Amino acid sequence: RSTIDDLLGPLRGTVRTETTAVLAAIAELTPDPLLQADLREVVAARGHGLPPWLHSLGDTAVTGAVEMVHVLGDGDDVIVGVRVPPDHEFTAVVFIDHNLGSVAKDAFVVPEGLDALVHQMRRLNDDPDTEWRALDRADARARLVESIDGGARTWPPFESDTWPSRRP
């Protein structure tokens, strides 16, 4: 099994703007404060001109969550809005198939905010048996984690044009 050190070794050894950007992203997203401080020091020492937003990835926030459910209960879409500072927004949509055991079956990311995407989806879906409900962020996370983990244990693994490539 690979470790974070297996990943970081080559990135540390290759002094290019691209590898510095990856190290900066890892520094902002890691929960390990020692690794974060170490990587920030490496990035600063390299002096590459990186986009300002890269240094604020740690301030990325979920703006809200919505579920789209159908009365038949075959599957639900869990829709999560995200804001990356200073003002970039995107929305992730994950389809959870209940006929396969409530596993993540499809996913995509749209480069617009949650409200705009939900408005567009509602406009395009005129099925009276479809409901749209606000979803608590913690509930959205729990449902996504459970469906992704369940899908990872499914054999043979389910694959589509967007899944599991959108998993990260």
Side-chain angles (χ1 to χ4, degrees):
R1 251 181 103 137
S2 296
T3 67
I4 188 72
D5 291 331
D6 295 333
L7 171 68
L8 294 177
L11 294 172
R12 288 176 189 266
T14 306
V15 182
R16 298 180 48 90
T17 303
E18 296 86 347
T19 58
T20 303
V22 172
L23 291 172
I26 293 169
E28 295 306 312
L29 297 175
T30 182
D32 181 340
L34 295 175
L35 179 59
Q36 184 178 62
D38 177 50
L39 293 179
R40 284 179 175 168
E41 187 176 303
V42 170
V43 169
R46 290 185 179 187
H48 290 129
L50 300 176
W53 62 264
L54 196 54
H55 298 289
S56 58
L57 278 178
D59 296 325
T60 297
V62 172
T63 59
V66 173
E67 64 179 344
M68 182 182 81
V69 299
H70 191 269
V71 69
L72 296 179
D74 292 331
D76 305 329
D77 282 309
V78 174
I79 307 162
V80 179
V82 178
R83 178 175 293 117
V84 179
D87 59 1
H88 303 285
E89 289 191 51
F90 66 90
T91 303
V93 180
V94 178
F95 177 68
I96 300 172
D97 190 319
H98 298 303
N99 293 326
L100 294 174
S102 296
V103 299
K105 183 177 176 183
D106 201 5
F108 59 93
V109 177
V110 179
E112 61 184 277
L114 176 66
D115 292 340
L117 179 64
V118 168
H119 176 75
Q120 175 80 352
M121 290 175 74
R122 289 181 80 139
R123 191 176 62 74
L124 295 173
N125 184 337
D126 60 358
D127 184 344
D129 293 327
T130 298
E131 288 186 56
W132 300 83
R133 299 187 291 236
L135 189 59
D136 180 80
R137 295 172 200 184
D139 290 340
R141 178 186 173 129
R143 290 184 59 198
L144 292 173
V145 168
E146 183 178 318
S147 68
I148 290 167
D149 289 349
R153 290 188 303 271
T154 302
W155 187 259
F158 183 81
E159 293 185 14
S160 72
D161 290 342
T162 62
W163 192 258
S165 66
R166 298 298 186 271
R167 181 177 173 165

